[in-house]
């Protein structure tokens, strides 16, 4: 699903957000990307949905070489993945249903397909009951669920979430994590960046830790703090 | 593209035109003024040219050769005059021919002018020049007056009114053209700003569209529609304005139905004017939105 080979990203001359990162993620895996602010988590995820291209190295996602991709190919590439952010990114003027439908409308889906698909996505995140509400009438956790439902609309093979619980309290965060696990169990590869200890430790998963743009840890069943380096 | 997708785009464009409020009105107004000036000047030039062309073509310039000049000198003047750019035809009206015509005139009028000359012919040879375009009359006449034609004593420009008309139409072309260009720059500027506002107002939507994989054409189309609307709608208003003024002017002119205006062909139909102006306006609108999208819409 994902193959990063010796990838570096340099925003400014001499300062690298990522340095020689290699990472392989199988189809259907669930991966936490952790690390302090500025460690390069967002940059790594941006490579996955081709918001950024590597300064050096090779990034292959879903069989496509991200650096070699022509701009015209980006839309089709993105339709095979869903992206979720810390700030939800919902359109305030549209209802929950319309927000999810939006992702389908702007990619040319037919009305009938939209009517069938939107409820499925909202069921997955447990929000079908609020389908006529506007984002402003929802809690943060609910808004993030809508954003996840929207990310699912096009049946993505990969779901990328950049600190999806960054604005949420711990209990709500665990709820979001549950939704992400469920989506993963249905076969979607999920990559989540976070610095939320509780979420990572709740259910041990693969953990990739970044520090100053380098991978310093990659554990199949990791916790937020490395086991060999217990908290002082 | 499916019908529902297209309806979505049109709806989008309409919403943002309403949301932009004052800027939309500014965009429409500048397009209207610019197109009215352009359309009005072009139409005036076109009508003046039509009028000028409909006038019977005469020999517009009469150049009188010095009485002392011999036949060879007259020939030489004729040859050189023929080579002046803009000259369509040159005819020599000899002093002998002039005298014969005067005799004929004497017989008709029962006068004795020629007889009183007692065998001397005081009349000069004359070179008549017809120009290819009334606009160059003055230039050609001045050329004949210049030291390059020392044999020519006097030049009469017989078509003063017409060349003044042409000069006027040139002034309209230059001033109207310059004003229209300035107004088009203003128009482009205002439409660009309007599009930029729209991009700003819709930045969240655009971001979401880019992330869920909407094509760049799909994202751009509403902006193109919006720009096209400003261009086409402004031009329609301008066309109505021009047609109204034209109809008022022609009512006024028809009161003085003179032989001069008789032969002027009718103007192009209103439909042609509207189509030409609206097409131009729409093209300006599209071009400006393409430029603003390049400038303000970040790439995927
Ligand atoms: N667009 C950008 N331009 C310049 N520097 C950037 C940009 N985005 C991120 N950075 C820098 O790259 C480094 C990694 O940032 P980021 O990937 O956002 O880290 P994280 O998501 O882990 O907080 C930081 O030093 C940050 O300042
Ligand atoms: Mg980040």
């Amino acid at each position: 699903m994902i193959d990063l080979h010796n990838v570096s990203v340099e925003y400014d001359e001499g300062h690298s957000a990522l340095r020689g990162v290699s990472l392989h993620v199988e189809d259907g895996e669930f991966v936490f990307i952790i690390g302090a602010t500025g460690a390069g988590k967002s940059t790594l995820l941006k490579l996955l949905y081709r918001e950024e291209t590597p300064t050096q190295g090779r990034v292959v996602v879903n069989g496509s070489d991200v650096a070699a991709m022509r701009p015209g190919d980006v839309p089709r590439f993105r339709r095979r993945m869903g992206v979720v952010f810390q700030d939800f990114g919902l359109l305030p003027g549209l209802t929950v249903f319309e927000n999810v439908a939006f992702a389908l409308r702007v990619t040319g889906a037919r009305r009938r397909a939209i009517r069938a698909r939107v409820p499925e996505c909202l069921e997955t995140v447990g929000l079908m009951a609020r389908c006529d509400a506007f984002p402003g009438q929802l809690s943060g956790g609910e808004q993030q669920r809508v954003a996840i439902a929207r990310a699912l609309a096009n049946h993505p093979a990969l779901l990328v979430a950049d600190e999806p619980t960054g604005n949420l309290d711990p209990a709500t965060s665990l709820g979001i994590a549950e939704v992400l696990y469920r989506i993963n169990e249905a076969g979607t590869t999920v990559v989540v960046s976070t610095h939320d200890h509780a979420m990572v430790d709740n259910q041990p998963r693969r953990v990739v830790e970044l520090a100053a743009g380098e991978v310093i840890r990659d554990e199949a069943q990791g916790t937020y703090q490395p086991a060999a380096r217990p908290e002082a | 593209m499916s019908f529902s997708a297209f309806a979505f785009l049109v709806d989008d464009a309409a919403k943002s035109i309403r949301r932009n409020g004052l800027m939309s009105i500014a965009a429409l107004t500048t397009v209207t003024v610019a197109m009215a000036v352009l359309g009005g000047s072009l139409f005036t030039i076109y009508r003046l040219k039509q009028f000028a062309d409909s006038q019977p073509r005469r020999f517009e310039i009469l150049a009188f050769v010095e009485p002392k000049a011999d036949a060879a000198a007259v020939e030489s003047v004729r040859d050189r005059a023929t080579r002046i750019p803009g000259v369509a035809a040159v005819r020599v009206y000899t002093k002998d021919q002039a005298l014969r015509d005067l005799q004929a005139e004497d017989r008709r009028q029962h006068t004795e002018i020629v007889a009183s000359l007692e065998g001397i012919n005081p009349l000069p040879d004359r070179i008549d020049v017809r120009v290819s375009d009334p606009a160059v009359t003055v230039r050609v006449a001045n050329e004949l007056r210049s030291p390059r034609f020392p044999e020519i004593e006097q030049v009469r420009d017989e078509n003063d009114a017409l060349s003044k008309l042409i000069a006027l139409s040139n002034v309209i072309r230059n001033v109207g053209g310059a004003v229209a260009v300035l107004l088009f720059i203003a128009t482009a500027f205002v439409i660009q700003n309007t599009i930029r506002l729209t991009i700003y107002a819709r930045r969240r939507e655009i971001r979401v569209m880019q992330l869920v994989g909407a094509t760049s054409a799909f994202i751009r189309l509403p902006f193109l529609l919006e720009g096209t609307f400003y261009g086409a709608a402004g031009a329609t208003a301008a066309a109505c304005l021009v047609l109204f003024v034209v109809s008022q002017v022609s009512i006024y002119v028809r009161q003085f139905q003179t032989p001069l205006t008789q032969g002027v062909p009718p103007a192009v139909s209103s439909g042609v004017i509207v189509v030409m102006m609206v097409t131009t306006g729409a093209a300006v609108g599209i071009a400006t939105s393409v430029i603003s999208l390049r400038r303000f819409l970040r790439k995927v």
Side-chain angles (χ1 to χ4, degrees), chain A residues 65-122:
Chain A
D65 185 329
V66 163
M69 199 180 297
R70 286 172 302 143
D73 295 332
V74 173
R76 303 233 159 258
F77 171 74
R78 287 197 181 148
R79 285 180 203 185
R80 289 181 293 157
M81 60 178 64
V83 189
V84 173
F85 296 101
Q86 180 170 352
D87 65 0
F88 322 136
L90 299 177
L91 302 175
L94 301 183
T95 65
V96 165
F97 188 98
E98 289 164 346
N99 262 287
V100 178
F102 187 83
L104 293 162
R105 290 171 77 178
V106 301
T107 50
R110 310 238 156 225
R111 223 177 269 269
R112 185 180 309 177
I114 295 174
R115 269 202 298 270
R117 180 59 183 156
V118 174
E120 289 173 6
C121 299
L122 286 172

Side-chain angles (χ1 to χ4, degrees), chain A residues 29-51:
Chain A
E29 262 196 278
F30 189 112
V31 185
F32 280 122
I33 310 287
I34 66 169
T37 300
K41 306 183 292 296
S42 297
T43 304
L44 174 57
L45 298 194
K46 282 175 184 169
L47 291 171
L48 302 184
Y49 56 89
R50 206 205 179 259
E51 174 103 342

Side-chain angles (χ1 to χ4, degrees), chain A residues 188 206 229:
Chain A
T188 305
R206 181 174 173 190
R229 182 155 48 92

Side-chain angles (χ1 to χ4, degrees), chain A residues 164-188:
Chain A
T165 61
N167 285 348
L168 306 175
D169 60 71
T172 314
S173 299
L174 290 182
I176 295 292
E178 293 296 333
V179 170
L180 295 174
Y181 295 145
R182 212 181 309 141
I183 290 165
N184 176 240
E185 273 148 29
T188 305

Side-chain angles (χ1 to χ4, degrees), chain B residues 136-183:
Chain B
V136 303
T137 309
V138 173
R139 182 173 59 71
V140 172
N142 285 339
E143 175 74 20
L144 293 169
R145 284 188 191 103
S146 77
R148 278 186 291 280
F149 287 90
E151 308 89 338
I152 293 179
E153 201 175 47
Q154 200 199 346
V155 174
R156 233 162 61 203
D157 176 351
E158 288 291 279
N159 222 349
D160 226 22
L162 201 56
S163 48
K164 278 200 182 108
L165 197 69
I166 296 300
L168 172 69
S169 116
N170 286 344
V171 168
I172 294 174
R173 185 190 63 203
N174 296 339
V175 174
V179 172
V181 165
L182 287 179
L183 286 169

Side-chain angles (χ1 to χ4, degrees), chain A residues 11-12 15-18 35-44 46 52 162-163 193 210:
Chain A
Y11 287 115
D12 308 312
H15 173 84
S16 296
L18 288 180
T37 300
K41 306 183 292 296
S42 297
T43 304
L44 174 57
K46 282 175 184 169
E52 291 294 343
D162 193 358
E163 305 210 30
S193 85
L210 290 178

Side-chain angles (χ1 to χ4, degrees), chain A residues 32 34 196-197 199-209 217 219-230:
Chain A
F32 280 122
I34 66 169
D196 184 335
H197 294 234
M199 183 159 76
V200 177
D201 294 343
N202 179 46
Q203 270 195 38
R205 298 279 174 158
R206 181 174 173 190
V207 171
V208 175
E209 183 171 357
R217 179 158 67 103
E219 286 176 353
Q221 300 270 306
T223 50
Y224 200 91
Q225 295 296 334
R229 182 155 48 92

